[in-house]
Amino acid sequence: DLATALNDRGQIKYFRVEFAAAVEDYTAAIECQPDFEVPYYNRGLVLYRLGCFDEAMKDFRKVLELNPQFEDAALSLKQAILDKEEKQKRGY
C-alpha cells in the first residue's frame, strides 16, 4: 500500500543520510495512514539523530499509543529523555 511504500522510500533516504527527505516521506506515510506506527518510529529516529529530542519523543509516544508492545520505541523514548536531560545539564 502507499503508506508502506512511502515508509520504505523514507528508509532508503535515511540510509543515504538524506534526513530531510526521509522525514518528508515518513510524514507522508503518516498522513496517508495515521494508525501505522512504523513511520512515526522511523521519523522519531531521524529527529533524534538531528537532536530534535522533543519532536522525537512525541513520535515515540505516538508509536506506543498505537502499539504499546513496540519495545524499540519504548527504549528510544527513554534514551531521548536521557539525552535531552544531559543536553540541558550541559547548557546547550
Side-chain angles (χ1 to χ4, degrees):
D1 64 49
L2 182 58
T4 301
L6 289 165
N7 180 72
D8 292 349
R9 188 172 73 179
Q11 284 294 90
I12 292 166
K13 292 176 181 176
Y14 175 75
F15 292 132
R16 291 182 179 161
V17 196
E18 298 170 7
F19 293 148
V23 167
E24 287 177 15
D25 281 344
Y26 298 141
T27 302
I30 290 164
E31 290 168 355
C32 186
Q33 189 178 338
D35 62 343
F36 183 25
E37 71 269 21
V38 175
Y40 287 101
Y41 176 70
N42 290 332
R43 186 175 69 180
L45 289 177
V46 174
L47 293 168
Y48 172 82
R49 286 195 61 182
L50 294 173
C52 302
F53 298 124
D54 289 332
E55 294 91 338
M57 290 186 292
K58 183 178 175 187
D59 276 349
F60 296 143
R61 286 186 176 110
K62 182 65 177 179
V63 172
L64 294 169
E65 176 187 314
L66 293 169
N67 179 0
Q69 307 307 313
F70 201 123
E71 289 184 31
D72 286 345
L75 292 171
S76 295
L77 175 59
K78 287 177 188 171
Q79 192 61 54
I81 291 167
L82 290 172
D83 288 354
K84 179 184 176 186
E85 289 172 355
E86 185 63 28
K87 184 178 175 183
Q88 288 172 331
K89 282 182 197 169
R90 294 178 183 209
Y92 54 83

